[in-house]
């Protein structure tokens, strides 16, 4: 039966789905998952069809009609929509917010306001128009219509609506809405061989007579002949001209002589690596074979599996074998990685085995590429490697999910909604598609390991390094005695300097880890105590000496480095602490002949920059690499003999319930970079607290002991993974307003859920980007009914606050499973 109405999803935080009527002419082609053009608040949007309604229904409003259908086939699967519904319910947000994060921008269309000329150009001079009104009216009359952005450029100002309103009132202009298509296929000029040469390529020999007077035309024709040896006779003009070393204008000259036809053709933006070198997978070791057999046993029982393999144990080889088996069965595979930086390194390794089967998807790709990957997955592309956003791709036959480095905090999205954890969402996705899921890590999260202890997940362990590799020797350096030496600046201990000297003498490489970028974290005046604080946030600004700037790592604000104290004029400004930039500077002084490089957000913010550093390190063009968390993940090189952790206490002292867990994971992961093949590596960890349990457990590779101790503390203080947790964040530019709203919200919720609520409290960083913050924490039992009830209460009380004038302007973010 043809639908009379449809409910649709907008990529907006709307509280409910809207219903539209379906014109008879569109009813037959209407399907769930197609995009339709609809009007909302006098704007045009592309919305997704969520539900078809065949019978008459009563609504509180008169439904508007669907204007048009934008797709020949659905862009989103029914399974995806069900996944979005689950995510919206679980993470306390709207399905529109999920859609906004899930779909590439190129598929989310909205209208653009265009200004149209109504009047008569000859009458403009007689009308009473201001200079700005006349300027706009004249420009619109000449161009027939202009966009808002174009008018802003003409007037050189952002606030143009008073001018437009006056012109509208005087009926000089009118406005219209037009849906803008953001995705455009990539069009390239191709040169195709013409007849009679296409039917008889041998006649090309005669064609050389036609170009004999032009050396460059001859070169171009030779290049085409060289490329057409595989019996292909159509190539992009730019590629043939590049090979010939001539300008594209010479292709047009050959076309005029009837040798070629030049036409635009659509090509894919998905890069194909023609020069990839293929390698067969290495034979499985006994440990890897056993691990695969055990993983398959759990898969047969439909259980998620945690692969707990120490660094260097060969987990990637196990993943590759599972991928190969699934590709052979024709299923799709999703390989999740925590960070974009890791994606490039892993893709290079996978392409040597699986070639151009590998598709890459992440949020830093341009929108046009993301749309093409989306369409390729919808058509059945098999192997997708990506960061957390790749969970939302339109899989049609998902057969396996691999979550590598499952413990990594980068899987958690903190802003905007949905504030989801990709690892947890992947578990739901695997159940939804009935696809096996494997979580891999050398340092599993407490949640995942606790699930193996309770029998919810299967566990497979790999306790030996692959081949001849052995675990590195870890040396703990107590920094307290070092301070007795006046030469010590708080950066490099004697043991670390000696270790670097030995590594350099042996032509080996060194990695140094400091989880703080910039030159120094603070600048202070010794005379009056002034600190370089951010104007928008309650934090110190970090010194970035290479840019000669102070930068806030929370809001991004910048200012020039002061030459004297802004408060008292004193020249004696002290730089406290050290970041990666300062370490690089000091290393170049201590080891002037060493090749030193830095890998942090400042030096590797783009894909090309990151790849360049990795390439140089792999080829031995870097002796010492200093980095933040980027160097702790996925780097697998033969020649690293020493890893240095400059200040382990920075991680341990972080005010976070997961501080110990994060410290153990980071220290173990960065230690695993040393001695990856047949060389026993060395790790030096500098600390002021060598007896700290996490330091001892890292030193002796004691994950079991770490888990038992940390689990005991979590149970005692009612923390995850043994209790569920929700954190509510309230933000406003006025501190009194946010404090009042937080107190009212907490009081109303506490009446309904009792002592499960803690707060409100002002966090250690009380203001970010000009907004004051209050937090409320909810701890509750791991009972699905209780959790659902608490979520419903939080959402209902948040809606009630919106009706109170003093509270409605406060932003309230609900973060489920915040850590």
């Amino acid at each position: 039966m043809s639908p009379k109405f449809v409910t649709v999803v907008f990529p907006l935080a709307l509280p409910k789905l809207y219903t539209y009527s379906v014109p008879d002419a569109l009813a037959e082609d209407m399907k769930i998952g197609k995009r339709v053009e609809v009007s909302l608040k006098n704007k045009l949007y592309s919305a997704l069809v969520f539900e078809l309604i065949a019978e008459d229904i009563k609504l509180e409003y008169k439904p508007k009609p669907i204007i048009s259908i934008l797709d020949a086939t659905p862009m989103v699967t029914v399974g995806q929509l069900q996944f979005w519904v689950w995510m919206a319910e679980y993470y306390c947000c709207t399905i529109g917010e999920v859609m906004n994060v899930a779909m590439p921008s190129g598929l989310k269309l909205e209208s653009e306001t265009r200004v149209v000329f109504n009047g008569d150009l000859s009458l403009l001079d007689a009308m009473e128009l201001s200079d700005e009104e006349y300027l706009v009216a004249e420009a619109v009359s000449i161009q027939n219509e202009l966009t808002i952005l174009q008018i802003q450029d003409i007037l050189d100002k952002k606030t143009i609506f008073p001018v437009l309103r006056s012109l509208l009132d005087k009926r000089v202009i009118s406005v219209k809405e037009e849906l803008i298509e953001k995705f455009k296929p990539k069009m390239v000029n191709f040169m195709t061989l013409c007849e009679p040469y296409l039917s008889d390529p041998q006649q090309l020999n005669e064609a050389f007579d036609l170009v004999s007077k032009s050396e460059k035309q001859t070169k171009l024709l030779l290049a085409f002949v060289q490329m057409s040896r595989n019996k292909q006779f159509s190539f992009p003009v730019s590629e043939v001209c590049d090979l010939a070393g001539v300008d594209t204008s010479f292709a047009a000259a050959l076309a005029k002589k009837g040798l070629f036809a030049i036409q635009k053709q659509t090509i894919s933006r998905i890069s194909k690596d023609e020069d990839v070198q293929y390698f067969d997978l290495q034979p499985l070791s006994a440990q890897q074979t056993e691990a695969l057999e055990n993983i398959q046993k759990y898969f047969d029982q439909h259980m998620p599996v945690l692969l707990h393999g120490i660094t260097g144990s060969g987990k990637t080889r196990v993943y590759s074998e599972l991928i190969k088996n699934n590709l052979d069965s024709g299923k799709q595979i999703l390989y999740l990685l925590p960070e974009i930086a890791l994606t490039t390194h892993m893709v290079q390794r996978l392409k040597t085995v699986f070639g151009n089967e590998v598709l890459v998807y992440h949020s830093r790709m341009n929108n046009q590429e993301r749309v093409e990957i989306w369409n390729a997955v919808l058509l059945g592309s098999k192997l997708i490697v990506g960061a957390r956003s790749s969970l939302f791709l339109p899989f049609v036959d998902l057969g396996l999910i691999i979550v590598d480095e499952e413990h990594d905090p980068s899987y958690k999205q903190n802003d905007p909604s949905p504030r989801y954890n990709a690892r947890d969402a992947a578990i739901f996705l695997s159940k939804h598609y009935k696809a096996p899921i494997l979580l891999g890590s050398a340092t599993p999260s407490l949640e995942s390991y606790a699930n193996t202890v309770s029998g919810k997940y299967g566990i497979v362990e790999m306790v030996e390094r692959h081949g001849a590799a052995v675990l590195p020797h870890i040396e703990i350096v107590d920094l307290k005695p070092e301070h007795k030496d006046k030469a010590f600046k708080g950066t490099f201990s004697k043991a670390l300097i000696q270790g670097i000297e030995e590594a350099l003498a042996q032509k080996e490489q060194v990695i140094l880890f400091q989880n703080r970028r910039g030159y120094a974290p603070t600048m202070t005046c010794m005379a009056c105590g002034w600190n370089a604080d951010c104007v928008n946030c309650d934090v110190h600004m970090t010194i970035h000496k290479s840019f000669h700037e102070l930068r806030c790592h929370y809001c991004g604000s910048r200012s020039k480095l002061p030459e004297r104290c802004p408060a008292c004029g004193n020249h004696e400004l002290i730089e406290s602490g050290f970041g990666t930039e300062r370490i690089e500077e000091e290393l170049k002084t201590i080891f002037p002949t060493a090749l030193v490089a830095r890998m942090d957000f400042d030096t590797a913010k783009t894909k090309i920059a990151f790849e360049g550093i990795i390439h140089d390190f792999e080829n031995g063009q870097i002796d010492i690499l200093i980095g933040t968390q980027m160097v702790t993940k996925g780097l697998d090189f033969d020649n690293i003999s020493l890893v240095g952790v400059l200040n382990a206490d920075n991680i341990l002292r972080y005010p976070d319930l997961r501080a110990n867990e994060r410290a153990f994971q980071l220290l173990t992961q960065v230690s695993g970079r040393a001695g990856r093949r047949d060389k026993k590596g060395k790790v030096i960890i500098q600390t002021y607290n060598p007896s700290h349990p996490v330091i001892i457990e890292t030193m002796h590779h004691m994950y079991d002991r770490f888990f038992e101790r940390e689990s005991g503390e979590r149970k005692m203080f009612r923390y995850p993974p043994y209790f569920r947790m929700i954190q509510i964040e309230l933000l406003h530019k006025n501190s009194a307003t946010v404090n009042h709203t937080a107190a009212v919200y907490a009081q109303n919720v506490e009446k309904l859920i009792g002592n499960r609520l803690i707060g409100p409290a002002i966090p250690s960083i009380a203001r970010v980007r000009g907004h004051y913050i209050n937090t409320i924490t909810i701890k509750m039992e791991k009972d699905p009914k209780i959790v659902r009830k608490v979520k419903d209460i939080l959402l209902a009380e948040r809606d009630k606050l919106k009706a109170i004038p003093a509270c409605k302007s406060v932003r309230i973010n609900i973060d489920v499973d915040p850590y």
Side-chain angles (χ1 to χ4, degrees), residues 442-476:
T443 53
S445 62
L446 259 70
E447 279 77 7
S448 295
Y449 203 82
N451 280 329
T452 69
V453 172
S454 66
K456 190 175 179 181
Y457 295 179
I459 183 167
V460 176
E461 297 191 291
M462 296 172 68
V463 297
E464 297 174 359
R465 277 197 157 187
H466 182 64
V470 292
L471 285 169
H473 167 71
I474 298 179
E475 179 182 338
I476 308 298

Side-chain angles (χ1 to χ4, degrees), residues 494-514:
K494 291 176 183 176
L496 184 54
I497 289 174
Q498 184 181 341
I500 295 172
E501 287 174 344
E502 291 172 358
L504 294 176
Q506 296 293 323
K507 305 292 185 187
E508 293 170 341
Q509 291 170 300
V510 178
I511 286 180
L512 298 179
F513 170 61
Q514 169 66 358

Side-chain angles (χ1 to χ4, degrees), residues 41-280:
K41 286 189 176 179
N42 299 319
K43 285 198 74 174
L44 299 177
Y45 286 92
S46 65
L48 271 174
V49 177
F50 182 80
E51 184 184 9
L52 305 177
I53 303 169
E55 66 275 1
D56 289 322
I57 54 172
K58 289 185 178 180
L59 296 168
E60 297 174 357
Y61 56 91
K62 183 181 178 181
K64 295 178 182 179
I66 298 289
I67 298 169
S68 67
I69 299 173
L70 299 175
D71 303 311
T73 57
M75 295 301 294
V76 172
T77 67
V78 174
Q80 268 181 295
L81 288 172
Q82 292 169 345
F83 178 50
W84 293 4
V85 169
W86 170 84
M87 186 167 276
E89 290 177 352
Y90 186 88
Y91 289 105
C92 294
C93 64
T94 65
I95 190 170
E97 288 172 302
V98 179
M99 176 186 172
N100 188 46
V101 168
M103 291 191 76
S105 295
L107 296 177
K108 296 176 296 191
L109 312 182
E110 61 183 76
S111 63
E112 183 176 59
T113 304
R114 292 182 175 269
V115 176
V116 183
F117 186 65
N118 281 345
D120 185 339
L121 185 61
S122 62
L123 299 177
L124 283 183
D125 291 327
M127 299 184 72
E128 294 182 6
L129 301 178
S130 68
D131 289 345
E132 288 185 338
E133 290 169 1
Y134 187 88
L135 194 62
V136 171
E138 185 181 41
V140 176
S141 69
I142 294 168
Q143 297 291 330
N144 292 325
E145 60 179 53
L146 291 173
T147 66
I148 298 296
L149 192 62
Q150 288 171 323
I151 294 172
Q152 286 174 332
D153 289 340
I154 290 167
L155 296 180
D156 195 24
K157 61 192 294 189
K158 287 189 176 180
T159 309
I160 61 168
F161 289 100
V163 177
L164 295 183
R165 172 53 57 195
S166 177
L167 289 172
L168 284 165
D169 291 342
K170 293 170 183 175
R171 301 184 184 279
V172 176
I173 61 168
S174 59
V175 296
K176 69 175 185 178
E177 294 292 320
E178 189 174 292
L179 200 64
I180 304 301
E181 179 64 66
K182 297 178 184 177
F183 173 72
K184 293 181 180 178
K186 187 175 181 180
M187 305 294 290
V188 171
N189 280 329
F190 270 69
M191 53 194 299
T192 305
L193 203 59
C194 290
E195 296 291 358
Y197 311 107
L198 184 61
S199 301
D200 184 11
Q202 297 299 323
Q203 292 192 42
L204 272 174
N205 295 327
E206 300 172 14
F208 279 100
D209 295 335
L210 298 174
V211 298
S212 58
K213 293 181 180 179
S214 170
E215 180 186 352
K216 291 188 176 179
Q217 288 182 22
T218 303
K219 280 185 176 180
L220 186 60
L221 187 54
L222 278 169
F224 187 90
V225 170
Q226 183 180 339
M227 292 176 71
S228 62
R229 284 176 180 169
N230 61 353
K231 307 300 181 183
Q232 184 182 341
F233 301 104
S234 182
F235 301 100
V237 170
S238 58
E239 288 184 17
V240 184
C241 290
D242 285 346
L243 182 61
V246 301
D247 189 80
T248 54
S249 61
F250 291 97
L254 293 185
K256 281 184 180 178
K257 292 181 177 179
L259 297 176
F260 297 100
I262 296 179
Q263 295 175 321
K264 285 195 177 294
Q265 295 184 26
T266 302
I267 66 166
S268 173
R269 291 182 176 87
I270 301 172
S271 60
K272 298 286 185 183
D273 193 344
E274 304 297 337
D275 300 324
V276 64
Q277 283 188 301
Y278 289 91
F279 296 98
D280 291 332

Side-chain angles (χ1 to χ4, degrees), residues 298-330:
Y298 287 120
F299 282 175
D300 292 341
Q301 299 172 45
H302 308 291
M303 291 177 70
V305 184
L306 174 65
L307 178 60
H308 181 195
I310 62 171
T311 55
S313 59
K315 295 187 292 296
T316 305
R317 176 66 185 86
V318 173
Y319 302 154
S320 298
E321 193 69 21
L322 288 168
I323 290 169
K324 179 179 176 295
N325 294 340
N326 270 268
L327 287 176
D328 291 344
S329 65

Side-chain angles (χ1 to χ4, degrees), residues 537 539 552-556 654 765 768-769:
C537 313
V539 295
C552 176
H553 290 174
Y554 284 81
C555 71
Y654 197 76
I765 299 174
V768 173
R769 298 185 183 90

